[in-house]
Amino acid sequence: MFFYLAFVASGAIGGLISITQLIPALANSSRSAELPEILKGLGIDIGAVLFFAFLYTRENSAKNVQLAKLSREESLSKLKLRVDQNKIISVSDLRGVARLVILAGPASYIAESFRRSRPFSDSLLERGVLVVPFRTDASTPFQFEGNDEEMIVDKKRRLWQLRPVYTSEWANWIDEQKKLANVSPDSPVYLSLRLDGRVRGSGVGYPPWNAFVAQLPPVKGIWSGLLDGMDGRVL
């Protein structure tokens, strides 16, 4: 970016010099033969200024987007989760340990997401996936009922055991992400995180559990560690 600015300044100085040569040439007909060369130099200088100004603007925009992503993820890392009745942790505590999938929507959306995840529960757990269900139609945490609750306790409790704490902070963060993505405030959404805590995917509607299983490597066994960083590109 420094060199882009330097080239812009150089082109601007060259353009000013060309203009100081152009004015006398226009005023003096005896120097009219010099006009094509002067205009050519002026055109090159203006083109250089515009070109490097464009590159600088693009680079600066990319930098701002990257800073916004880092700020978003830093804010997310500070949000709190309840593991059980006696333990509260930050999202950052799960970096390198779990791939979180955050669901934000009404109770019916979360319940349906749970039902769709059932066939993939074992595979998701093998890949270190943990679900954070955030209920948007009430201030109370989402609770499973009947057979769903029995299944959580007896078999797949770890996959769905996390609960958001300080829900107002979670709501503010999710609302901000919807605004940045131009998504309706009422739309149910999901966000999936990489092992390093960065956002790898998001969308409106139900999370693609089958795609997670197909794309993510297991966190145990011969592939553990080798493919930990290959969770997909950062969004």
Side-chain angles (χ1 to χ4, degrees):
M1 293 179 71
F2 168 79
F3 284 111
Y4 290 157
L5 289 177
F7 292 143
V8 168
S10 177
I13 293 173
L16 289 175
I17 294 174
S18 296
I19 290 174
T20 60
Q21 295 173 343
L22 178 63
I23 294 175
L26 291 174
N28 189 346
S29 58
S30 63
R31 298 182 58 184
S32 59
E34 302 176 11
L35 282 176
E37 191 66 25
I38 295 174
L39 290 173
K40 179 181 177 181
L42 179 61
I44 292 174
D45 292 331
I46 293 175
V49 169
L50 294 176
F51 176 69
F52 288 110
F54 165 74
L55 292 179
Y56 177 85
T57 301
R58 186 181 66 173
E59 191 74 17
N60 191 56
S61 297
K63 181 191 72 173
N64 291 336
V65 169
Q66 181 68 8
L67 289 175
K69 289 180 180 179
L70 293 174
S71 175
R72 169 185 69 175
E73 289 156 2
E74 182 64 22
S75 299
L76 173 61
S77 70
K78 297 177 181 178
L79 296 178
K80 302 297 183 181
L81 293 168
R82 182 180 297 281
V83 180
D84 53 41
Q85 292 298 323
N86 301 316
K87 187 174 183 180
I88 294 177
I89 62 174
S90 299
V91 171
S92 60
D93 294 331
L94 294 173
R95 285 177 179 169
V97 177
R99 298 178 171 108
L100 298 185
V101 176
I102 301 170
L103 308 180
S108 58
Y109 163 75
I110 295 175
E112 179 61 23
S113 296
F114 167 71
R115 284 190 285 272
R116 294 186 180 208
S117 74
R118 278 182 172 178
F120 310 100
S121 295
D122 291 332
S123 298
L124 291 170
L125 285 171
E126 290 174 0
R127 285 154 178 78
V129 174
L130 296 179
V131 181
V132 180
F134 179 75
R135 184 176 178 179
T136 58
D137 58 349
S139 58
T140 56
F142 178 78
Q143 297 292 333
F144 293 99
E145 299 177 356
N147 293 332
D148 287 347
E149 181 64 26
E150 293 174 6
M151 182 178 177
I152 290 294
V153 173
D154 295 339
K155 297 181 180 179
K156 308 301 179 187
R157 183 176 184 274
R158 184 169 176 267
L159 180 62
W160 288 80
Q161 74 180 118
L162 300 177
R163 292 292 181 272
V165 182
Y166 309 126
T167 54
S168 60
E169 297 179 5
W170 277 91
N172 291 336
W173 188 85
I174 291 171
D175 289 342
E176 183 179 352
Q177 306 320 303
K178 288 182 177 181
K179 289 179 182 178
L180 291 174
N182 294 319
V183 173
S184 169
D186 298 328
S187 298
V189 297
Y190 72 88
L191 295 95
S192 65
L193 308 187
R194 309 194 319 177
L195 270 179
D196 60 7
R198 305 196 67 183
V199 178
R200 70 175 293 273
S202 61
V204 177
Y206 298 105
W209 304 115
N210 57 333
F212 293 158
V213 171
Q215 296 168 1
L216 299 174
V219 295
K220 295 181 180 180
I222 62 174
W223 301 113
S224 180
L226 179 62
L227 299 177
D228 282 354
M230 299 186 181
D231 291 1
R233 66 185 181 89
V234 177
L235 295 184

